[in-house]
Amino acid sequence: MLSFENDYNVGAHPAILRRLSETNFDPQPGYGFDRYCESAKEKIRRELGDPAAEIFFLSGGTQTNALAISAMLRPFEGVLCAATGHIASHEAGAIEYTGHKVLPLPQKQGKVDPQDVSDYLENFYADENRDHTVFPGLLYLSEPTEYGTIYSKTELQKLYEIANRFSVRVYIDGARLGYGLCCEESDLTMQELAQCCDAFYIGGTKVGALLGEALVFPRGNAPERFFTLIKQHGALLSKGRVLGIQFDTLFTDGLYYEISRGAIERAKELRAILHEKGCRFYLETPTNQQFILLEDEEYERLSKSVALSFWEKPDRSHTVVRFAVSWATTREDLEALRAIL
Amino acid sequence: MLSFENDYNVGAHPAILRRLSETNFDPQPGYGFDRYCESAKEKIRRELGDPAAEIFFLSGGTQTNALAISAMLRPFEGVLCAATGHIASHEAGAIEYTGHKVLPLPQKQGKVDPQDVSDYLENFYADENRDHTVFPGLLYLSEPTEYGTIYSKTELQKLYEIANRFSVRVYIDGARLGYGLCCEESDLTMQELAQCCDAFYIGGTKVGALLGEALVFPRGNAPERFFTLIKQHGALLSKGRVLGIQFDTLFTDGLYYEISRGAIERAKELRAILHEKGCRFYLETPTNQQFILLEDEEYERLSKSVALSFWEKPDRSHTVVRFAVSWATTREDLEALRAIL
Amino acid sequence: MLSFENDYNVGAHPAILRRLSETNFDPQPGYGFDRYCESAKEKIRRELGDPAAEIFFLSGGTQTNALAISAMLRPFEGVLCAATGHIASHEAGAIEYTGHKVLPLPQKQGKVDPQDVSDYLENFYADENRDHTVFPGLLYLSEPTEYGTIYSKTELQKLYEIANRFSVRVYIDGARLGYGLCCEESDLTMQELAQCCDAFYIGGTKVGALLGEALVFPRGNAPERFFTLIKQHGALLSKGRVLGIQFDTLFTDGLYYEISRGAIERAKELRAILHEKGCRFYLETPTNQQFILLEDEEYERLSKSVALSFWEKPDRSHTVVRFAVSWATTREDLEALRAIL
Amino acid sequence: MLSFENDYNVGAHPAILRRLSETNFDPQPGYGFDRYCESAKEKIRRELGDPAAEIFFLSGGTQTNALAISAMLRPFEGVLCAATGHIASHEAGAIEYTGHKVLPLPQKQGKVDPQDVSDYLENFYADENRDHTVFPGLLYLSEPTEYGTIYSKTELQKLYEIANRFSVRVYIDGARLGYGLCCEESDLTMQELAQCCDAFYIGGTKVGALLGEALVFPRGNAPERFFTLIKQHGALLSKGRVLGIQFDTLFTDGLYYEISRGAIERAKELRAILHEKGCRFYLETPTNQQFILLEDEEYERLSKSVALSFWEKPDRSHTVVRFAVSWATTREDLEALRAIL
């Protein structure tokens, strides 16, 4: 069936599969001490212009979020987050499972406003009872957001500056980072993003890998004994090479950006088709996800020939669905969609 | 460098890489709802002769242990385990991180004795202060054990019977299950093993997969909403297919056993070489790991040409090392080792 | 200094101190197995007309909430709560520390609306992605609320009925239960309240005890091995008698209600004085707490002669303060306050 | 019934009850900010000759242990402890509930040997796989131990020196500290003990208080925002004064030591009676607990007229029981016991 369900509905970019085969019989140490991991880390450090950056390869987004956030927080701290942030809404309480509260902030199309962050923190420190409450220790952002929107360089800088003022660190969830950086509306580079946070991850799973996320602590401030914490959270792969080989491939000859730009191209074509067919945008975004409002019957009918993602029910007779494209979406897929719509 | 370091030092069995390539562009739902996962589960159920078995694919052993054990335990319970069990000694406190105590039992060459289990449980229930202590809720076994030894069918049956008598459930860590079942000394089938426990996992990572373990709840008694718990623990892969495709391949035409038997053959040849060279066995085992006592200088010298695993230091001048073979070890590797020794 | 700071600013009702002295040298078993605990439980069961009710004495409200809620929730569940509920806002993340999410609901003067609960639960079960999210397992209510407001019998019945429809249990925080039940506006008895929930606690600390809360599981449905859980949470007192003696006294000859009615009388007199002096009520309540809006300078001036509680800052130049009375507030205290205002 | 069951079978020292009455109507701030807590802290600081010591009053031993230990450990660390230590055996997994492993050490009559600690730490750092295991972060000692034995000054100094060498901190559980310091065999003062550890608590519950333990961080190194952590663990009393008043009384005019010496006197008389009656000592100790081996029928018979504590069953026909005395044990009690034996 034709699928615009998400950006993880097929396998890996062929270059990755090829590289897995080529390296298959090269015996290497386990747990990420192999030379592919080393090489991948080196390439990412160069990309960031940050030789001190510490990098860890993990398997998935929720795992990376829970591990990084819990390791960065002190026991009396929680994490600030847009009410629609992934950790607040779609990770089955993974952050709370680590013992920390998610402190929801107002959101606009998935983004938090610097002013809201600043207000929250000022009110917090003006509250005489604050010692009876959870301290804000970290600000979680996603780039692009769960709604496909993006932060500008100025916004990120402002957020980082506000956070720093209150000794709050900043963590950026980059599950779809490539799509955020490579869209036309973005004025950010990965290096600039790294300068506006204390940790972020470069999403692999949704940008061409079989699985894998590269967690980066810029300027070398990884939490103490983070390797042991990875093991403790059940997130250490014996064959760490599986992740290293993939990121080494993605950061060779700019493949990560090439993959991302391809998806952004397809996304523009998708938007054109959706407009042409008179679809009602619930949210039109610069990245690879588009949100469309359908009547429930339309949704049911369409679901028979195209795999889509249920997003939410704004009322009893409508459904918001997500159309997602990825590096693997083809012109043929788009033509087939046009024909169906 | 020649490597007998472990059974996860290379990539995957070629059939698995081939199958990943063949299926790469088939769009499938995420999170394990793809048809490869379904097919793999069906094959495992058939292998076990248990149509009600519930199966979940996870990424690694520590993750599987922590998730399964914490989901099976009630809040006031802990898990009984040989003092040398992986969860007791080498998982960085992953079980305790979930809030549960590991209750160590005496061990002999990595195994627990049914009598010791029975004594522990009888003493526990004879203690008038037991309500102030952790209740034994689960018995963790590994087959083969961390020391390469195996339980016989009779031993497993006896352990399961004792556990049942005290309402203690049994969980078996099968990180190297194939090697345990396929060695000559074993009188167990996977089906029989499944009948002696409440949960176990079929190790993929160390038996030919890139990564992946198949957690089985025989007779359909998975913990409530286990899917949500997988997500909560950061263990849910978006591209669940990556695990499904691998287990589907491993359970097609008996590949899992073929891989395991190959390694057992190599292990016999390794033992012959070690004997021939007069090495001192710290522990000679029927499976794919052999433990050799070396003087520290020997260890240092040998380490220059062969990758081995440090096991422990029994005294100040000796080191126990582990030689491991896997499905990927070749006759040439063994000849090269013979030459070096 | 004159104090209207809270309802826990003095020691215990004299009858309690007397009883502690009288019983002081009677040797009794530890951990709540003494005869005073037994007697207190029996009296509470009679008060509730529920011989099967299971009762546990604990030291404080946050402890009771965290222990009861975490024991009642399954690992994949969270607790619904007014955004202003004590567990959501003023317990330093104690619930999250147990691994569970607090799911905030809209609130009106501290109360949740049955319709909002029903909407939340219907939307939750209409969401196709719900397996990736925290399940609502419990509804937390407080009676009276943190804002001094109360639920009517009809409201509680409706909330319990809605919760039951969705297999959500109900827990009521009764830190100030006596003041809620004994105010004129209340149409509830303790027995009726017990019939509208799966667990609740009778607050002692704020209603005449030195410390202590009586956690009640009506109709005998306490979580498994709750005694061991109390110990595990560090909430078991060696001298359990200290709590038993106090509750036995409070439930002898209706002392609990007598104390509560006294405070409600004083609260009415307080309201009269605040009105007489032209104070601006931020919230006027039927129970023992009144919320007054002051200009910041007024607040500062007043604080020099009367201890009050900071509540919140609605804007940069005003402060909301809480005036609280208790069983120990005297007519003289009120006259002194009138003089100062 | 005559009771030698434990040292918490009656209420409080009369001076404490008196003081609770005298201060009852003095309005004071909550949460430990009252003047009685301040005064008690000041007296303890003077006793320790340590004006920088930070002191927190908590309700019970398990609570204090779990809170202090979890706050002192980093996430990748566990706590070393005699296998018979209270946290290892009798706290229902309270430490593991906070996510940390208890690392058991060999014990002799409840004590750990400096050499065993040193060996453990040396082996730990010699293990090449240590990054996959729990790091030893803290050494838990009890003074006196769970078996009534005591550490000498030299032993404590040696243990602290060894721990420091490996960056391991030391925590001392002083549930019965008074009895340990005041027995004839002890060569320690409280001040000296404080110099050999990073935290310890002065037990109140078992030394004359209704409830309460004073947790001390000598030299001002309390964990960050420890007040908020107390709240988070449900260990903060609204009426903190209840603990402050008791410790203020205990540390006025040396009452804590007077109480302790009285119990030690009674313990000597108890030992004399037990010897006179030909009882078999399982363990004869210098402090207030004595362990006697009884045949099961004797135990049963004796239990009818004297309340004793079951300790353990060394074999199928014998039981070890504990006789405990306290500040409240009288000469008449001892005479009555002599008559029964």
Side-chain angles (χ1 to χ4, degrees):
Chain A
M1 189 163 75
L2 191 62
S3 169
F4 287 87
E5 196 178 0
N6 54 48
D7 35 19
Y8 43 88
N9 59 357
V10 300
H13 189 280
I16 282 177
L17 292 184
R18 212 154 47 227
R19 194 86 180 109
L20 284 172
S21 287
E22 287 164 9
T23 59
N24 195 49
F25 288 103
D26 176 19
Q28 287 292 319
Y31 305 117
F33 294 106
D34 60 280
R35 62 181 165 115
Y36 305 108
C37 282
E38 272 322 303
S39 167
K41 288 177 188 182
E42 197 42 44
K43 284 172 185 166
I44 292 172
R45 281 190 207 104
R46 247 181 286 141
E47 174 72 32
L48 300 176
D50 179 358
E54 294 182 71
I55 299 157
F56 300 88
F57 299 116
L58 297 163
S59 300
T62 299
Q63 179 179 88
T64 304
N65 288 338
L67 183 45
I69 291 170
S70 67
M72 294 173 82
L73 291 178
R74 288 171 295 179
F76 49 86
E77 292 177 334
V79 53
L80 290 163
C81 171
T84 49
H86 209 251
I87 56 166
S89 55
H90 278 92
E91 298 191 349
I95 299 300
E96 288 83 1
Y97 184 71
T98 72
H100 296 281
K101 194 179 184 71
V102 177
L103 303 160
L105 292 167
Q107 59 86 25
K108 288 161 193 152
Q109 302 195 333
K111 292 169 64 178
V112 294
D113 190 279
Q115 191 58 49
D116 288 334
V117 176
S118 172
D119 288 351
Y120 183 97
L121 292 169
E122 279 189 11
N123 285 337
F124 179 83
Y125 283 101
D127 184 347
E128 296 186 8
N129 297 318
R130 65 178 170 277
D131 285 345
H132 293 260
T133 71
V134 175
F135 278 71
L138 194 65
L139 172 62
Y140 165 98
L141 304 172
S142 35
E143 176 74 340
T145 69
E146 293 71 13
Y147 280 86
T149 50
I150 58 169
Y151 289 96
S152 70
K153 196 193 305 185
T154 313
E155 285 172 321
L156 276 193
Q157 285 168 340
K158 217 181 278 180
L159 285 163
Y160 194 44
E161 185 271 322
I162 291 165
N164 275 335
R165 205 164 354 121
F166 292 93
S167 297
V168 165
R169 281 140 297 145
V170 172
Y171 169 82
I172 302 177
D173 180 333
R176 298 181 168 93
L177 187 58
Y179 305 139
L181 294 176
C182 292
C183 70
E184 282 171 20
E185 290 77 350
S186 173
D187 64 351
L188 261 182
T189 64
M190 199 182 287
Q191 185 167 340
E192 289 163 344
L193 177 135
Q195 286 160 359
C196 291
C197 66
D198 299 285
F200 72 103
Y201 80 85
I202 307 168
T205 308
K206 288 162 183 163
V207 192
L210 280 178
L211 80 163
E213 327 294 334
L215 175 61
V216 181
F217 295 99
R219 307 173 295 283
N221 58 355
E224 263 185 301
R225 299 210 179 281
F226 196 69
F227 177 86
T228 301
L229 293 180
I230 294 176
K231 180 91 177 193
Q232 187 184 69
H233 283 245
L236 189 67
L237 293 189
S238 305
K239 295 183 179 170
R241 63 194 289 150
V242 172
L243 302 174
I245 291 164
Q246 296 187 83
F247 274 94
D248 194 50
T249 307
L250 289 171
F251 280 84
T252 298
D253 298 335
L255 180 61
Y256 190 75
Y257 298 114
E258 186 188 318
I259 283 174
S260 303
R261 279 190 304 264
I264 290 298
E265 277 307 304
R266 291 299 89 73
K268 283 201 291 191
E269 294 159 19
L270 170 67
R271 280 152 67 188
I273 291 170
L274 293 169
H275 276 297
E276 175 195 322
K277 295 296 181 182
C279 293
R280 278 170 70 190
F281 278 85
Y282 180 75
L283 190 61
E284 184 172 357
T285 87
T287 59
N288 72 319
Q289 309 182 84
Q290 307 302 328
F291 301 87
I292 299 293
L293 185 74
L294 296 176
E295 292 187 18
D296 285 354
E297 305 90 79
E298 275 185 281
Y299 173 39
E300 208 181 317
R301 199 173 56 242
L302 203 54
S303 295
K304 286 181 181 130
S305 40
V306 193
L308 295 171
S309 263
F310 169 92
W311 203 252
E312 62 186 62
K313 281 200 68 53
D315 60 48
R316 301 205 166 233
S317 59
H318 291 82
T319 301
V320 176
V321 298
R322 182 186 66 180
F323 285 77
V325 296
S326 77
W327 59 274
T329 307
T330 61
R331 292 246 157 77
E332 289 70 36
D333 295 336
L334 290 164
E335 283 314 310
L337 177 66
R338 189 201 303 267
I340 288 167
L341 291 174
Chain B
M1 188 163 75
L2 190 62
S3 170
F4 288 86
E5 196 178 0
N6 54 48
D7 35 19
Y8 44 86
N9 59 357
V10 299
H13 189 280
I16 282 176
L17 291 184
R18 212 155 45 227
R19 194 88 179 107
L20 284 171
S21 286
E22 288 165 9
T23 59
N24 195 50
F25 288 103
D26 176 19
Q28 287 291 318
Y31 305 116
F33 295 105
D34 59 281
R35 62 181 165 117
Y36 305 108
C37 283
E38 273 321 304
S39 166
K41 288 178 188 181
E42 196 42 43
K43 284 173 185 165
I44 292 172
R45 283 192 205 103
R46 248 181 285 140
E47 175 71 32
L48 300 175
D50 179 358
E54 294 182 72
I55 299 157
F56 300 89
F57 299 116
L58 298 164
S59 301
T62 299
Q63 179 179 87
T64 305
N65 288 338
L67 183 44
I69 291 170
S70 68
M72 293 174 81
L73 291 177
R74 289 171 293 178
F76 49 85
E77 292 177 334
V79 53
L80 291 163
C81 170
T84 49
H86 209 251
I87 56 166
S89 56
H90 278 90
E91 298 191 350
I95 299 299
E96 289 83 1
Y97 185 70
T98 71
H100 296 281
K101 193 179 185 72
V102 177
L103 303 160
L105 291 168
Q107 59 86 25
K108 289 162 191 150
Q109 302 193 334
K111 293 169 63 179
V112 293
D113 190 279
Q115 189 59 48
D116 288 334
V117 176
S118 171
D119 288 352
Y120 183 97
L121 292 169
E122 278 189 12
N123 285 338
F124 179 83
Y125 282 102
D127 184 347
E128 296 186 8
N129 297 318
R130 65 179 170 278
D131 285 346
H132 294 260
T133 71
V134 174
F135 279 70
L138 194 66
L139 172 62
Y140 166 98
L141 304 172
S142 35
E143 177 75 340
T145 69
E146 293 72 12
Y147 280 87
T149 50
I150 58 169
Y151 289 96
S152 70
K153 196 193 304 185
T154 312
E155 286 172 320
L156 276 194
Q157 285 168 340
K158 216 180 278 179
L159 286 162
Y160 195 43
E161 186 272 321
I162 291 164
N164 275 334
R165 206 167 350 124
F166 292 93
S167 298
V168 165
R169 280 140 297 144
V170 173
Y171 169 82
I172 301 177
D173 180 333
R176 298 181 167 94
L177 187 58
Y179 305 139
L181 294 175
C182 292
C183 71
E184 283 172 18
E185 289 78 351
S186 173
D187 64 350
L188 260 183
T189 64
M190 198 183 287
Q191 185 167 340
E192 289 162 343
L193 177 135
Q195 286 159 358
C196 293
C197 68
D198 299 286
F200 72 104
Y201 80 84
I202 305 169
T205 307
K206 288 161 183 164
V207 192
L210 280 179
L211 79 163
E213 327 294 333
L215 174 61
V216 182
F217 295 99
R219 305 174 296 284
N221 58 355
E224 263 185 301
R225 300 210 178 280
F226 195 69
F227 176 87
T228 301
L229 293 180
I230 294 175
K231 181 90 179 195
Q232 188 184 68
H233 283 244
L236 189 67
L237 293 189
S238 305
K239 295 183 178 169
R241 63 195 287 151
V242 172
L243 302 174
I245 290 164
Q246 295 188 84
F247 273 94
D248 195 48
T249 307
L250 288 171
F251 280 83
T252 298
D253 299 334
L255 180 60
Y256 191 74
Y257 298 114
E258 185 188 316
I259 282 174
S260 302
R261 279 189 304 264
I264 290 298
E265 277 308 304
R266 290 300 89 73
K268 284 201 291 190
E269 294 160 19
L270 170 68
R271 280 153 68 188
I273 291 170
L274 293 169
H275 275 296
E276 174 196 321
K277 294 297 181 182
C279 292
R280 278 171 69 190
F281 277 86
Y282 179 76
L283 190 60
E284 185 172 356
T285 87
T287 59
N288 71 319
Q289 309 182 84
Q290 307 302 328
F291 301 87
I292 300 293
L293 185 74
L294 295 176
E295 292 187 17
D296 284 354
E297 306 90 79
E298 275 185 281
Y299 173 41
E300 208 181 316
R301 199 173 56 243
L302 203 54
S303 295
K304 286 180 180 132
S305 41
V306 193
L308 296 170
S309 263
F310 169 93
W311 203 251
E312 62 187 64
K313 281 200 68 55
D315 59 48
R316 298 202 168 237
S317 60
H318 291 82
T319 300
V320 176
V321 298
R322 182 185 66 179
F323 285 78
V325 296
S326 77
W327 60 274
T329 307
T330 62
R331 291 246 157 77
E332 289 69 39
D333 294 336
L334 289 164
E335 283 315 308
L337 177 66
R338 187 201 304 265
I340 288 167
L341 290 174
Chain C
M1 189 164 72
L2 191 61
S3 170
F4 288 86
E5 196 177 2
N6 53 48
D7 35 20
Y8 42 87
N9 59 356
V10 300
H13 189 278
I16 282 177
L17 292 184
R18 210 154 47 226
R19 192 88 180 109
L20 283 171
S21 286
E22 287 163 9
T23 60
N24 195 49
F25 288 103
D26 175 20
Q28 286 292 318
Y31 305 116
F33 294 106
D34 59 279
R35 63 182 165 117
Y36 305 107
C37 282
E38 273 323 303
S39 166
K41 289 178 188 183
E42 197 43 42
K43 285 173 184 165
I44 293 172
R45 283 192 206 103
R46 246 180 287 141
E47 174 72 31
L48 300 176
D50 179 358
E54 295 182 70
I55 298 157
F56 300 89
F57 298 115
L58 297 163
S59 302
T62 299
Q63 179 179 87
T64 304
N65 288 338
L67 183 45
I69 291 171
S70 68
M72 294 175 81
L73 291 177
R74 288 170 296 178
F76 48 86
E77 293 177 333
V79 54
L80 291 163
C81 170
T84 48
H86 209 251
I87 58 166
S89 55
H90 278 92
E91 298 191 351
I95 299 298
E96 289 82 2
Y97 185 71
T98 72
H100 296 280
K101 195 179 183 71
V102 177
L103 303 160
L105 292 167
Q107 59 85 25
K108 287 161 194 151
Q109 303 194 330
K111 292 169 64 178
V112 294
D113 190 279
Q115 190 57 48
D116 288 333
V117 176
S118 171
D119 287 352
Y120 184 97
L121 292 169
E122 278 188 11
N123 285 338
F124 179 83
Y125 283 101
D127 183 346
E128 296 185 9
N129 296 318
R130 65 179 170 276
D131 286 346
H132 294 259
T133 70
V134 174
F135 279 70
L138 194 65
L139 172 62
Y140 166 98
L141 303 173
S142 35
E143 177 73 341
T145 69
E146 294 72 11
Y147 280 86
T149 50
I150 58 169
Y151 289 97
S152 70
K153 197 192 303 184
T154 312
E155 285 172 320
L156 275 194
Q157 285 168 340
K158 217 182 276 180
L159 285 163
Y160 195 44
E161 186 274 319
I162 291 164
N164 276 335
R165 206 167 350 124
F166 291 93
S167 299
V168 165
R169 280 140 298 146
V170 172
Y171 169 82
I172 300 176
D173 180 332
R176 298 182 169 92
L177 187 57
Y179 304 139
L181 294 176
C182 292
C183 71
E184 281 170 20
E185 290 78 350
S186 173
D187 64 352
L188 261 181
T189 65
M190 199 183 285
Q191 184 166 340
E192 288 163 343
L193 177 135
Q195 286 160 358
C196 291
C197 67
D198 299 286
F200 72 104
Y201 81 83
I202 305 169
T205 308
K206 289 162 184 162
V207 192
L210 280 177
L211 80 162
E213 326 294 333
L215 175 60
V216 181
F217 295 99
R219 305 173 298 283
N221 58 357
E224 264 185 300
R225 299 207 177 284
F226 195 70
F227 177 86
T228 301
L229 294 179
I230 294 175
K231 180 91 177 194
Q232 187 184 69
H233 284 245
L236 189 66
L237 293 190
S238 304
K239 295 183 180 170
R241 65 194 287 150
V242 172
L243 303 174
I245 291 164
Q246 295 186 82
F247 274 94
D248 194 50
T249 308
L250 288 171
F251 280 84
T252 298
D253 299 333
L255 179 61
Y256 191 74
Y257 298 114
E258 183 188 319
I259 282 174
S260 303
R261 279 189 303 264
I264 290 298
E265 277 307 306
R266 292 297 90 71
K268 283 200 291 189
E269 293 159 18
L270 170 67
R271 280 152 69 189
I273 290 170
L274 293 168
H275 276 296
E276 173 195 322
K277 295 295 180 181
C279 294
R280 277 170 69 192
F281 278 85
Y282 180 75
L283 190 60
E284 183 172 356
T285 87
T287 59
N288 72 318
Q289 308 181 82
Q290 307 302 328
F291 301 88
I292 300 294
L293 185 74
L294 297 176
E295 292 188 20
D296 285 355
E297 306 89 79
E298 276 185 282
Y299 173 40
E300 208 179 317
R301 201 174 54 242
L302 203 54
S303 295
K304 285 181 183 132
S305 40
V306 192
L308 296 172
S309 262
F310 169 93
W311 202 252
E312 62 188 62
K313 281 201 67 56
D315 60 48
R316 299 202 169 238
S317 59
H318 291 83
T319 300
V320 176
V321 298
R322 182 186 65 180
F323 285 77
V325 296
S326 75
W327 59 274
T329 307
T330 60
R331 291 245 159 79
E332 289 68 37
D333 294 334
L334 290 165
E335 284 313 310
L337 177 66
R338 189 201 303 263
I340 288 167
L341 290 174
Chain D
M1 190 163 74
L2 192 61
S3 170
F4 288 86
E5 195 178 1
N6 54 48
D7 36 19
Y8 42 88
N9 59 356
V10 300
H13 188 279
I16 283 177
L17 292 184
R18 210 155 45 227
R19 194 88 179 107
L20 284 171
S21 287
E22 287 164 9
T23 60
N24 195 49
F25 288 103
D26 176 19
Q28 286 292 317
Y31 306 117
F33 294 105
D34 59 280
R35 63 181 166 115
Y36 305 108
C37 282
E38 272 322 303
S39 167
K41 288 178 189 183
E42 197 42 44
K43 285 173 184 166
I44 293 173
R45 281 191 206 105
R46 248 181 285 141
E47 174 72 33
L48 300 175
D50 179 358
E54 295 182 71
I55 298 157
F56 300 90
F57 299 115
L58 297 163
S59 302
T62 299
Q63 179 180 87
T64 304
N65 289 337
L67 183 46
I69 291 171
S70 68
M72 293 174 81
L73 292 177
R74 289 170 295 178
F76 47 86
E77 293 177 333
V79 54
L80 291 163
C81 170
T84 48
H86 209 251
I87 57 166
S89 55
H90 278 92
E91 297 190 353
I95 299 299
E96 289 82 2
Y97 184 71
T98 72
H100 296 281
K101 194 181 183 70
V102 177
L103 303 160
L105 291 168
Q107 59 84 25
K108 288 162 192 149
Q109 302 194 332
K111 291 169 64 178
V112 294
D113 190 280
Q115 190 58 49
D116 288 334
V117 175
S118 171
D119 288 352
Y120 183 98
L121 291 169
E122 278 188 12
N123 285 337
F124 179 83
Y125 282 102
D127 183 347
E128 296 185 8
N129 297 318
R130 65 179 170 278
D131 286 346
H132 294 259
T133 71
V134 174
F135 279 71
L138 194 65
L139 172 62
Y140 165 98
L141 303 172
S142 35
E143 176 75 339
T145 69
E146 293 72 10
Y147 281 87
T149 51
I150 58 170
Y151 290 96
S152 70
K153 196 193 305 185
T154 313
E155 284 172 320
L156 275 194
Q157 285 168 340
K158 217 182 275 180
L159 286 162
Y160 195 45
E161 184 275 320
I162 291 165
N164 275 334
R165 208 169 346 125
F166 293 92
S167 299
V168 165
R169 279 139 298 145
V170 172
Y171 169 82
I172 301 177
D173 180 333
R176 297 181 169 93
L177 187 57
Y179 305 139
L181 295 176
C182 291
C183 71
E184 283 172 18
E185 290 78 349
S186 174
D187 65 351
L188 262 181
T189 64
M190 199 183 285
Q191 184 167 340
E192 288 162 343
L193 178 135
Q195 286 159 359
C196 291
C197 67
D198 299 285
F200 73 104
Y201 80 85
I202 306 168
T205 308
K206 289 162 184 162
V207 192
L210 281 178
L211 80 162
E213 326 293 334
L215 174 61
V216 182
F217 295 99
R219 306 172 296 284
N221 58 355
E224 263 185 301
R225 299 208 179 283
F226 196 70
F227 177 87
T228 301
L229 294 179
I230 294 175
K231 181 93 178 192
Q232 187 184 68
H233 283 245
L236 190 66
L237 294 189
S238 304
K239 295 183 180 169
R241 65 193 287 151
V242 173
L243 303 174
I245 290 163
Q246 295 187 82
F247 274 94
D248 195 49
T249 308
L250 289 171
F251 280 84
T252 297
D253 299 334
L255 179 62
Y256 191 74
Y257 298 114
E258 184 189 318
I259 282 174
S260 303
R261 279 191 304 264
I264 290 298
E265 277 308 304
R266 292 297 91 71
K268 283 201 292 191
E269 294 159 19
L270 169 68
R271 280 152 68 188
I273 291 170
L274 293 168
H275 275 296
E276 173 196 322
K277 295 295 180 182
C279 294
R280 279 170 68 193
F281 276 86
Y282 180 76
L283 191 61
E284 183 172 356
T285 86
T287 57
N288 71 319
Q289 308 182 83
Q290 307 301 327
F291 300 88
I292 300 293
L293 185 74
L294 296 176
E295 291 187 19
D296 285 354
E297 304 91 79
E298 276 185 281
Y299 173 40
E300 209 181 316
R301 200 174 53 242
L302 203 53
S303 295
K304 285 179 183 132
S305 41
V306 191
L308 296 171
S309 261
F310 168 93
W311 202 252
E312 62 188 62
K313 280 201 69 55
D315 59 48
R316 299 201 168 238
S317 59
H318 292 82
T319 300
V320 176
V321 298
R322 182 185 66 179
F323 285 77
V325 296
S326 77
W327 59 274
T329 307
T330 60
R331 290 245 158 79
E332 290 69 38
D333 295 335
L334 288 164
E335 284 314 310
L337 177 66
R338 189 201 303 266
I340 288 167
L341 289 174

